[in-house]
PDB file of all heavy atoms in Angstrom:
ATOM      1  N   ASP A   1     101.973 104.418 110.529  1.00 97.00           N
ATOM      2  CA  ASP A   1     102.834 105.516 110.956  1.00 97.00           C
ATOM      3  C   ASP A   1     104.148 104.920 111.462  1.00 97.00           C
ATOM      4  O   ASP A   1     104.182 104.261 112.504  1.00 97.00           O
ATOM      5  CB  ASP A   1     102.154 106.324 112.061  1.00 97.00           C
ATOM      6  CG  ASP A   1     102.891 107.611 112.392  1.00 97.00           C
ATOM      7  OD1 ASP A   1     104.137 107.572 112.462  1.00 97.00           O
ATOM      8  OD2 ASP A   1     102.227 108.648 112.580  1.00 97.00           O
ATOM      9  N   LEU A   2     105.229 105.130 110.727  1.00 97.00           N
ATOM     10  CA  LEU A   2     106.517 104.525 111.072  1.00 97.00           C
ATOM     11  C   LEU A   2     107.053 105.047 112.403  1.00 97.00           C
ATOM     12  O   LEU A   2     107.639 104.292 113.184  1.00 97.00           O
ATOM     13  CB  LEU A   2     107.534 104.790 109.964  1.00 97.00           C
ATOM     14  CG  LEU A   2     107.270 104.052 108.650  1.00 97.00           C
ATOM     15  CD1 LEU A   2     108.108 104.650 107.520  1.00 97.00           C
ATOM     16  CD2 LEU A   2     107.556 102.567 108.794  1.00 97.00           C
ATOM     17  N   ASN A   3     106.855 106.320 112.686  1.00 95.00           N
ATOM     18  CA  ASN A   3     107.386 106.898 113.921  1.00 95.00           C
ATOM     19  C   ASN A   3     106.585 106.461 115.144  1.00 95.00           C
ATOM     20  O   ASN A   3     107.151 106.163 116.197  1.00 95.00           O
ATOM     21  CB  ASN A   3     107.395 108.423 113.810  1.00 95.00           C
ATOM     22  CG  ASN A   3     108.442 108.929 112.841  1.00 95.00           C
ATOM     23  OD1 ASN A   3     109.634 108.693 113.018  1.00 95.00           O
ATOM     24  ND2 ASN A   3     108.009 109.611 111.794  1.00 95.00           N
ATOM     25  N   ASN A   4     105.266 106.417 115.023  1.00 95.00           N
ATOM     26  CA  ASN A   4     104.414 106.029 116.157  1.00 95.00           C
ATOM     27  C   ASN A   4     104.165 104.532 116.239  1.00 95.00           C
ATOM     28  O   ASN A   4     103.584 104.057 117.224  1.00 95.00           O
ATOM     29  CB  ASN A   4     103.063 106.750 116.068  1.00 95.00           C
ATOM     30  CG  ASN A   4     103.202 108.253 116.198  1.00 95.00           C
ATOM     31  OD1 ASN A   4     104.153 108.741 116.792  1.00 95.00           O
ATOM     32  ND2 ASN A   4     102.257 108.993 115.634  1.00 95.00           N
ATOM     33  N   GLN A   5     104.550 103.792 115.187  1.00 94.00           N
ATOM     34  CA  GLN A   5     104.319 102.350 115.116  1.00 94.00           C
ATOM     35  C   GLN A   5     102.845 102.016 115.337  1.00 94.00           C
ATOM     36  O   GLN A   5     102.499 101.095 116.071  1.00 94.00           O
ATOM     37  CB  GLN A   5     105.197 101.618 116.150  1.00 94.00           C
ATOM     38  CG  GLN A   5     106.685 101.825 115.933  1.00 94.00           C
ATOM     39  CD  GLN A   5     107.527 101.081 116.954  1.00 94.00           C
ATOM     40  OE1 GLN A   5     107.149 100.036 117.457  1.00 94.00           O
ATOM     41  NE2 GLN A   5     108.689 101.627 117.267  1.00 94.00           N
ATOM     42  N   SER A   6     102.002 102.788 114.686  1.00 95.00           N
ATOM     43  CA  SER A   6     100.559 102.566 114.779  1.00 95.00           C
ATOM     44  C   SER A   6      99.967 102.564 113.378  1.00 95.00           C
ATOM     45  O   SER A   6     100.525 103.171 112.459  1.00 95.00           O
ATOM     46  CB  SER A   6      99.896 103.650 115.617  1.00 95.00           C
ATOM     47  OG  SER A   6     100.080 104.929 115.024  1.00 95.00           O
ATOM     48  N   GLN A   7      98.854 101.884 113.202  1.00 95.00           N
ATOM     49  CA  GLN A   7      98.261 101.845 111.882  1.00 95.00           C
ATOM     50  C   GLN A   7      96.745 101.962 111.930  1.00 95.00           C
ATOM     51  O   GLN A   7      96.121 101.718 112.969  1.00 95.00           O
ATOM     52  CB  GLN A   7      98.651 100.576 111.139  1.00 95.00           C
ATOM     53  CG  GLN A   7      97.990  99.303 111.564  1.00 95.00           C
ATOM     54  CD  GLN A   7      98.418  98.135 110.675  1.00 95.00           C
ATOM     55  OE1 GLN A   7      99.385  98.197 109.927  1.00 95.00           O
ATOM     56  NE2 GLN A   7      97.689  97.046 110.770  1.00 95.00           N
ATOM     57  N   LYS A   8      96.172 102.345 110.797  1.00 95.00           N
ATOM     58  CA  LYS A   8      94.737 102.506 110.677  1.00 95.00           C
ATOM     59  C   LYS A   8      94.263 101.813 109.412  1.00 95.00           C
ATOM     60  O   LYS A   8      94.860 101.975 108.348  1.00 95.00           O
ATOM     61  CB  LYS A   8      94.370 103.997 110.612  1.00 95.00           C
ATOM     62  CG  LYS A   8      92.882 104.263 110.472  1.00 95.00           C
ATOM     63  CD  LYS A   8      92.604 105.757 110.476  1.00 95.00           C
ATOM     64  CE  LYS A   8      91.115 106.039 110.379  1.00 95.00           C
ATOM     65  NZ  LYS A   8      90.812 107.489 110.415  1.00 95.00           N
ATOM     66  N   GLN A   9      93.205 101.034 109.531  1.00 96.00           N
ATOM     67  CA  GLN A   9      92.637 100.388 108.354  1.00 96.00           C
ATOM     68  C   GLN A   9      91.772 101.396 107.597  1.00 96.00           C
ATOM     69  O   GLN A   9      90.935 102.076 108.179  1.00 96.00           O
ATOM     70  CB  GLN A   9      91.800  99.173 108.733  1.00 96.00           C
ATOM     71  CG  GLN A   9      91.229  98.441 107.527  1.00 96.00           C
ATOM     72  CD  GLN A   9      90.528  97.144 107.904  1.00 96.00           C
ATOM     73  OE1 GLN A   9      90.845  96.537 108.930  1.00 96.00           O
ATOM     74  NE2 GLN A   9      89.576  96.717 107.088  1.00 96.00           N
ATOM     75  N   ILE A  10      91.994 101.475 106.287  1.00 95.00           N
ATOM     76  CA  ILE A  10      91.292 102.445 105.460  1.00 95.00           C
ATOM     77  C   ILE A  10      90.114 101.818 104.721  1.00 95.00           C
ATOM     78  O   ILE A  10      89.036 102.401 104.621  1.00 95.00           O
ATOM     79  CB  ILE A  10      92.255 103.080 104.436  1.00 95.00           C
ATOM     80  CG1 ILE A  10      93.438 103.724 105.158  1.00 95.00           C
ATOM     81  CG2 ILE A  10      91.526 104.097 103.568  1.00 95.00           C
ATOM     82  CD1 ILE A  10      93.061 104.795 106.145  1.00 95.00           C
ATOM     83  N   SER A  11      90.314 100.607 104.189  1.00 95.00           N
ATOM     84  CA  SER A  11      89.262  99.967 103.407  1.00 95.00           C
ATOM     85  C   SER A  11      89.512  98.465 103.355  1.00 95.00           C
ATOM     86  O   SER A  11      90.565  97.982 103.764  1.00 95.00           O
ATOM     87  CB  SER A  11      89.225 100.554 101.992  1.00 95.00           C
ATOM     88  OG  SER A  11      88.144 100.040 101.244  1.00 95.00           O
ATOM     89  N   SER A  12      88.514  97.746 102.846  1.00 94.00           N
ATOM     90  CA  SER A  12      88.623  96.288 102.696  1.00 94.00           C
ATOM     91  C   SER A  12      87.895  95.869 101.422  1.00 94.00           C
ATOM     92  O   SER A  12      86.854  96.435 101.068  1.00 94.00           O
ATOM     93  CB  SER A  12      88.011  95.581 103.911  1.00 94.00           C
ATOM     94  OG  SER A  12      88.129  94.176 103.784  1.00 94.00           O
ATOM     95  N   SER A  13      88.453  94.888 100.719  1.00 93.00           N
ATOM     96  CA  SER A  13      87.847  94.391  99.489  1.00 93.00           C
ATOM     97  C   SER A  13      87.775  92.868  99.529  1.00 93.00           C
ATOM     98  O   SER A  13      88.335  92.226 100.421  1.00 93.00           O
ATOM     99  CB  SER A  13      88.649  94.843  98.267  1.00 93.00           C
ATOM    100  OG  SER A  13      89.874  94.117  98.191  1.00 93.00           O
ATOM    101  N   ILE A  14      87.121  92.307  98.535  1.00 92.00           N
ATOM    102  CA  ILE A  14      87.067  90.851  98.387  1.00 92.00           C
ATOM    103  C   ILE A  14      87.992  90.469  97.240  1.00 92.00           C
ATOM    104  O   ILE A  14      87.673  90.661  96.058  1.00 92.00           O
ATOM    105  CB  ILE A  14      85.629  90.352  98.101  1.00 92.00           C
ATOM    106  CG1 ILE A  14      84.687  90.791  99.219  1.00 92.00           C
ATOM    107  CG2 ILE A  14      85.620  88.837  97.946  1.00 92.00           C
ATOM    108  CD1 ILE A  14      85.023  90.214 100.580  1.00 92.00           C
ATOM    109  N   ALA A  15      89.158  89.969  97.586  1.00 87.00           N
ATOM    110  CA  ALA A  15      90.148  89.462  96.626  1.00 87.00           C
ATOM    111  C   ALA A  15      90.472  90.462  95.515  1.00 87.00           C
ATOM    112  O   ALA A  15      90.734  90.087  94.372  1.00 87.00           O
ATOM    113  CB  ALA A  15      89.672  88.148  96.020  1.00 87.00           C
ATOM    114  N   LYS A  16      90.493  91.732  95.859  1.00 91.00           N
ATOM    115  CA  LYS A  16      90.726  92.772  94.852  1.00 91.00           C
ATOM    116  C   LYS A  16      91.838  93.706  95.313  1.00 91.00           C
ATOM    117  O   LYS A  16      91.857  94.119  96.470  1.00 91.00           O
ATOM    118  CB  LYS A  16      89.441  93.578  94.620  1.00 91.00           C
ATOM    119  CG  LYS A  16      89.555  94.674  93.570  1.00 91.00           C
ATOM    120  CD  LYS A  16      88.232  95.425  93.429  1.00 91.00           C
ATOM    121  CE  LYS A  16      88.342  96.558  92.421  1.00 91.00           C
ATOM    122  NZ  LYS A  16      87.076  97.323  92.302  1.00 91.00           N
ATOM    123  N   GLU A  17      92.755  94.009  94.414  1.00 91.00           N
ATOM    124  CA  GLU A  17      93.827  94.937  94.763  1.00 91.00           C
ATOM    125  C   GLU A  17      93.322  96.379  94.754  1.00 91.00           C
ATOM    126  O   GLU A  17      92.313  96.690  94.118  1.00 91.00           O
ATOM    127  CB  GLU A  17      95.006  94.764  93.800  1.00 91.00           C
ATOM    128  CG  GLU A  17      94.668  94.934  92.345  1.00 91.00           C
ATOM    129  CD  GLU A  17      95.832  94.575  91.444  1.00 91.00           C
ATOM    130  OE1 GLU A  17      96.988  94.675  91.907  1.00 91.00           O
ATOM    131  OE2 GLU A  17      95.603  94.201  90.285  1.00 91.00           O
ATOM    132  N   PHE A  18      94.064  97.257  95.447  1.00 94.00           N
ATOM    133  CA  PHE A  18      93.634  98.647  95.592  1.00 94.00           C
ATOM    134  C   PHE A  18      94.379  99.623  94.685  1.00 94.00           C
ATOM    135  O   PHE A  18      93.879 100.705  94.412  1.00 94.00           O
ATOM    136  CB  PHE A  18      93.809  99.100  97.043  1.00 94.00           C
ATOM    137  CG  PHE A  18      92.808  98.507  97.987  1.00 94.00           C
ATOM    138  CD1 PHE A  18      93.124  97.398  98.759  1.00 94.00           C
ATOM    139  CD2 PHE A  18      91.535  99.044  98.114  1.00 94.00           C
ATOM    140  CE1 PHE A  18      92.209  96.851  99.646  1.00 94.00           C
ATOM    141  CE2 PHE A  18      90.606  98.509  98.993  1.00 94.00           C
ATOM    142  CZ  PHE A  18      90.945  97.407  99.760  1.00 94.00           C
ATOM    143  N   LYS A  19      95.611  99.266  94.282  1.00 94.00           N
ATOM    144  CA  LYS A  19      96.472 100.192  93.528  1.00 94.00           C
ATOM    145  C   LYS A  19      96.538 101.559  94.240  1.00 94.00           C
ATOM    146  O   LYS A  19      96.266 102.617  93.644  1.00 94.00           O
ATOM    147  CB  LYS A  19      95.970 100.381  92.096  1.00 94.00           C
ATOM    148  CG  LYS A  19      95.919  99.103  91.265  1.00 94.00           C
ATOM    149  CD  LYS A  19      95.503  99.417  89.839  1.00 94.00           C
ATOM    150  CE  LYS A  19      95.477  98.178  88.962  1.00 94.00           C
ATOM    151  NZ  LYS A  19      94.382  97.250  89.330  1.00 94.00           N
ATOM    152  N   PRO A  20      96.922 101.586  95.500  1.00 96.00           N
ATOM    153  CA  PRO A  20      96.885 102.838  96.273  1.00 96.00           C
ATOM    154  C   PRO A  20      98.027 103.783  95.930  1.00 96.00           C
ATOM    155  O   PRO A  20      99.106 103.350  95.506  1.00 96.00           O
ATOM    156  CB  PRO A  20      97.017 102.341  97.717  1.00 96.00           C
ATOM    157  CG  PRO A  20      97.846 101.098  97.591  1.00 96.00           C
ATOM    158  CD  PRO A  20      97.430 100.457  96.295  1.00 96.00           C
ATOM    159  N   LYS A  21      97.795 105.083  96.113  1.00 96.00           N
ATOM    160  CA  LYS A  21      98.858 106.073  95.931  1.00 96.00           C
ATOM    161  C   LYS A  21      98.532 107.310  96.756  1.00 96.00           C
ATOM    162  O   LYS A  21      97.376 107.563  97.105  1.00 96.00           O
ATOM    163  CB  LYS A  21      99.022 106.447  94.458  1.00 96.00           C
ATOM    164  CG  LYS A  21      97.900 107.303  93.893  1.00 96.00           C
ATOM    165  CD  LYS A  21      98.238 107.793  92.487  1.00 96.00           C
ATOM    166  CE  LYS A  21      97.195 108.771  91.972  1.00 96.00           C
ATOM    167  NZ  LYS A  21      97.542 109.299  90.628  1.00 96.00           N
ATOM    168  N   TRP A  22      99.569 108.077  97.064  1.00 97.00           N
ATOM    169  CA  TRP A  22      99.412 109.344  97.757  1.00 97.00           C
ATOM    170  C   TRP A  22      99.125 110.437  96.729  1.00 97.00           C
ATOM    171  O   TRP A  22      99.891 110.620  95.787  1.00 97.00           O
ATOM    172  CB  TRP A  22     100.667 109.701  98.548  1.00 97.00           C
ATOM    173  CG  TRP A  22     100.885 108.833  99.742  1.00 97.00           C
ATOM    174  CD1 TRP A  22     101.700 107.742  99.827  1.00 97.00           C
ATOM    175  CD2 TRP A  22     100.289 108.984 101.029  1.00 97.00           C
ATOM    176  NE1 TRP A  22     101.642 107.193 101.077  1.00 97.00           N
ATOM    177  CE2 TRP A  22     100.780 107.941 101.849  1.00 97.00           C
ATOM    178  CE3 TRP A  22      99.381 109.888 101.563  1.00 97.00           C
ATOM    179  CZ2 TRP A  22     100.397 107.782 103.177  1.00 97.00           C
ATOM    180  CZ3 TRP A  22      98.996 109.738 102.892  1.00 97.00           C
ATOM    181  CH2 TRP A  22      99.502 108.704 103.690  1.00 97.00           C
ATOM    182  N   VAL A  23      98.051 111.176  96.919  1.00 96.00           N
ATOM    183  CA  VAL A  23      97.747 112.337  96.086  1.00 96.00           C
ATOM    184  C   VAL A  23      98.503 113.553  96.615  1.00 96.00           C
ATOM    185  O   VAL A  23      99.090 114.323  95.872  1.00 96.00           O
ATOM    186  CB  VAL A  23      96.234 112.618  96.054  1.00 96.00           C
ATOM    187  CG1 VAL A  23      95.937 113.867  95.238  1.00 96.00           C
ATOM    188  CG2 VAL A  23      95.482 111.420  95.486  1.00 96.00           C
ATOM    189  N   ASP A  24      98.481 113.721  97.931  1.00 96.00           N
ATOM    190  CA  ASP A  24      99.284 114.714  98.629  1.00 96.00           C
ATOM    191  C   ASP A  24      99.521 114.176 100.035  1.00 96.00           C
ATOM    192  O   ASP A  24      99.184 113.031 100.333  1.00 96.00           O
ATOM    193  CB  ASP A  24      98.608 116.099  98.643  1.00 96.00           C
ATOM    194  CG  ASP A  24      97.195 116.065  99.230  1.00 96.00           C
ATOM    195  OD1 ASP A  24      96.995 115.411 100.278  1.00 96.00           O
ATOM    196  OD2 ASP A  24      96.291 116.686  98.645  1.00 96.00           O
ATOM    197  N   ASP A  25     100.105 114.981 100.916  1.00 96.00           N
ATOM    198  CA  ASP A  25     100.466 114.494 102.247  1.00 96.00           C
ATOM    199  C   ASP A  25      99.263 114.071 103.085  1.00 96.00           C
ATOM    200  O   ASP A  25      99.419 113.323 104.060  1.00 96.00           O
ATOM    201  CB  ASP A  25     101.253 115.566 103.010  1.00 96.00           C
ATOM    202  CG  ASP A  25     102.690 115.659 102.539  1.00 96.00           C
ATOM    203  OD1 ASP A  25     103.135 114.731 101.843  1.00 96.00           O
ATOM    204  OD2 ASP A  25     103.360 116.661 102.857  1.00 96.00           O
ATOM    205  N   ASN A  26      98.091 114.537 102.732  1.00 95.00           N
ATOM    206  CA  ASN A  26      96.914 114.246 103.541  1.00 95.00           C
ATOM    207  C   ASN A  26      95.827 113.479 102.793  1.00 95.00           C
ATOM    208  O   ASN A  26      94.744 113.270 103.327  1.00 95.00           O
ATOM    209  CB  ASN A  26      96.312 115.553 104.081  1.00 95.00           C
ATOM    210  CG  ASN A  26      97.304 116.341 104.909  1.00 95.00           C
ATOM    211  OD1 ASN A  26      97.858 115.823 105.875  1.00 95.00           O
ATOM    212  ND2 ASN A  26      97.552 117.577 104.530  1.00 95.00           N
ATOM    213  N   THR A  27      96.110 113.079 101.561  1.00 97.00           N
ATOM    214  CA  THR A  27      95.081 112.426 100.751  1.00 97.00           C
ATOM    215  C   THR A  27      95.630 111.191 100.062  1.00 97.00           C
ATOM    216  O   THR A  27      96.721 111.240  99.470  1.00 97.00           O
ATOM    217  CB  THR A  27      94.541 113.389  99.674  1.00 97.00           C
ATOM    218  OG1 THR A  27      94.208 114.643 100.264  1.00 97.00           O
ATOM    219  CG2 THR A  27      93.317 112.803  98.992  1.00 97.00           C
ATOM    220  N   ILE A  28      94.890 110.095 100.139  1.00 96.00           N
ATOM    221  CA  ILE A  28      95.248 108.887  99.406  1.00 96.00           C
ATOM    222  C   ILE A  28      94.148 108.567  98.403  1.00 96.00           C
ATOM    223  O   ILE A  28      93.000 108.979  98.562  1.00 96.00           O
ATOM    224  CB  ILE A  28      95.475 107.679 100.340  1.00 96.00           C
ATOM    225  CG1 ILE A  28      94.201 107.359 101.120  1.00 96.00           C
ATOM    226  CG2 ILE A  28      96.636 107.934 101.273  1.00 96.00           C
ATOM    227  CD1 ILE A  28      94.325 106.108 101.975  1.00 96.00           C
ATOM    228  N   GLU A  29      94.525 107.829  97.379  1.00 96.00           N
ATOM    229  CA  GLU A  29      93.577 107.438  96.336  1.00 96.00           C
ATOM    230  C   GLU A  29      93.753 105.950  96.059  1.00 96.00           C
ATOM    231  O   GLU A  29      94.880 105.438  96.075  1.00 96.00           O
ATOM    232  CB  GLU A  29      93.832 108.242  95.065  1.00 96.00           C
ATOM    233  CG  GLU A  29      92.843 107.972  93.939  1.00 96.00           C
ATOM    234  CD  GLU A  29      93.142 108.813  92.707  1.00 96.00           C
ATOM    235  OE1 GLU A  29      92.611 109.931  92.628  1.00 96.00           O
ATOM    236  OE2 GLU A  29      93.918 108.321  91.849  1.00 96.00           O
ATOM    237  N   PHE A  30      92.641 105.249  95.817  1.00 96.00           N
ATOM    238  CA  PHE A  30      92.729 103.811  95.578  1.00 96.00           C
ATOM    239  C   PHE A  30      91.490 103.336  94.832  1.00 96.00           C
ATOM    240  O   PHE A  30      90.469 104.039  94.767  1.00 96.00           O
ATOM    241  CB  PHE A  30      92.867 103.051  96.902  1.00 96.00           C
ATOM    242  CG  PHE A  30      91.804 103.376  97.925  1.00 96.00           C
ATOM    243  CD1 PHE A  30      90.622 102.637  98.003  1.00 96.00           C
ATOM    244  CD2 PHE A  30      91.987 104.421  98.829  1.00 96.00           C
ATOM    245  CE1 PHE A  30      89.641 102.933  98.936  1.00 96.00           C
ATOM    246  CE2 PHE A  30      91.011 104.724  99.769  1.00 96.00           C
ATOM    247  CZ  PHE A  30      89.838 103.979  99.829  1.00 96.00           C
ATOM    248  N   ASP A  31      91.592 102.125  94.259  1.00 94.00           N
ATOM    249  CA  ASP A  31      90.447 101.538  93.574  1.00 94.00           C
ATOM    250  C   ASP A  31      89.343 101.240  94.577  1.00 94.00           C
ATOM    251  O   ASP A  31      89.599 100.643  95.638  1.00 94.00           O
ATOM    252  CB  ASP A  31      90.847 100.226  92.878  1.00 94.00           C
ATOM    253  CG  ASP A  31      91.625 100.478  91.597  1.00 94.00           C
ATOM    254  OD1 ASP A  31      91.778 101.648  91.217  1.00 94.00           O
ATOM    255  OD2 ASP A  31      92.082  99.495  90.987  1.00 94.00           O
ATOM    256  N   SER A  32      88.140 101.631  94.238  1.00 94.00           N
ATOM    257  CA  SER A  32      87.001 101.345  95.111  1.00 94.00           C
ATOM    258  C   SER A  32      86.793  99.835  95.205  1.00 94.00           C
ATOM    259  O   SER A  32      86.887  99.127  94.203  1.00 94.00           O
ATOM    260  CB  SER A  32      85.732 101.998  94.559  1.00 94.00           C
ATOM    261  OG  SER A  32      84.598 101.567  95.275  1.00 94.00           O
ATOM    262  N   PRO A  33      86.560  99.315  96.414  1.00 92.00           N
ATOM    263  CA  PRO A  33      86.349  97.864  96.558  1.00 92.00           C
ATOM    264  C   PRO A  33      85.046  97.371  95.937  1.00 92.00           C
ATOM    265  O   PRO A  33      84.880  96.176  95.702  1.00 92.00           O
ATOM    266  CB  PRO A  33      86.343  97.662  98.077  1.00 92.00           C
ATOM    267  CG  PRO A  33      85.945  98.978  98.636  1.00 92.00           C
ATOM    268  CD  PRO A  33      86.522 100.003  97.715  1.00 92.00           C
ATOM    269  N   ASN A  34      84.143  98.292  95.629  1.00 89.00           N
ATOM    270  CA  ASN A  34      82.820  97.893  95.146  1.00 89.00           C
ATOM    271  C   ASN A  34      82.505  98.350  93.724  1.00 89.00           C
ATOM    272  O   ASN A  34      81.391  98.148  93.240  1.00 89.00           O
ATOM    273  CB  ASN A  34      81.740  98.447  96.086  1.00 89.00           C
ATOM    274  CG  ASN A  34      81.942  98.002  97.521  1.00 89.00           C
ATOM    275  OD1 ASN A  34      82.188  96.829  97.779  1.00 89.00           O
ATOM    276  ND2 ASN A  34      81.883  98.946  98.451  1.00 89.00           N
ATOM    277  N   SER A  35      83.475  98.999  93.062  1.00 90.00           N
ATOM    278  CA  SER A  35      83.225  99.461  91.701  1.00 90.00           C
ATOM    279  C   SER A  35      84.552  99.579  90.964  1.00 90.00           C
ATOM    280  O   SER A  35      85.616  99.297  91.515  1.00 90.00           O
ATOM    281  CB  SER A  35      82.517 100.820  91.726  1.00 90.00           C
ATOM    282  OG  SER A  35      83.395 101.839  92.156  1.00 90.00           O
ATOM    283  N   ALA A  36      84.476 100.013  89.711  1.00 88.00           N
ATOM    284  CA  ALA A  36      85.674 100.181  88.893  1.00 88.00           C
ATOM    285  C   ALA A  36      86.247 101.590  89.025  1.00 88.00           C
ATOM    286  O   ALA A  36      87.222 101.927  88.359  1.00 88.00           O
ATOM    287  CB  ALA A  36      85.351  99.896  87.431  1.00 88.00           C
ATOM    288  N   GLU A  37      85.669 102.414  89.886  1.00 93.00           N
ATOM    289  CA  GLU A  37      86.106 103.796  90.038  1.00 93.00           C
ATOM    290  C   GLU A  37      87.200 103.928  91.096  1.00 93.00           C
ATOM    291  O   GLU A  37      87.406 103.028  91.907  1.00 93.00           O
ATOM    292  CB  GLU A  37      84.911 104.677  90.409  1.00 93.00           C
ATOM    293  CG  GLU A  37      83.824 104.725  89.347  1.00 93.00           C
ATOM    294  CD  GLU A  37      82.649 105.597  89.760  1.00 93.00           C
ATOM    295  OE1 GLU A  37      82.611 106.002  90.940  1.00 93.00           O
ATOM    296  OE2 GLU A  37      81.787 105.863  88.906  1.00 93.00           O
TER     297      GLU A  37
END
């Protein structure tokens, strides 16, 4: 959060990228750390 200067961890993987994106203002989408979905 740029205004509050606070952050939250969403997920963690082992040497794998997430390819994250915003679906809407309240939803994010990313590669599952444990599968190809």
Side-chain angles (χ1 to χ4, degrees):
D1 189 318
L2 291 165
N3 289 300
N4 296 335
Q5 299 181 30
S6 61
Q7 75 177 15
K8 179 178 182 179
Q9 182 174 334
I10 303 301
S11 185
S12 181
S13 73
I14 302 297
K16 181 181 178 182
E17 57 187 334
F18 287 98
K19 300 184 178 69
K21 72 172 186 178
W22 290 98
V23 177
D24 55 44
D25 283 345
N26 302 304
T27 311
I28 61 175
E29 183 179 271
F30 53 91
D31 284 356
S32 171
N34 303 314
S35 71
E37 297 179 350

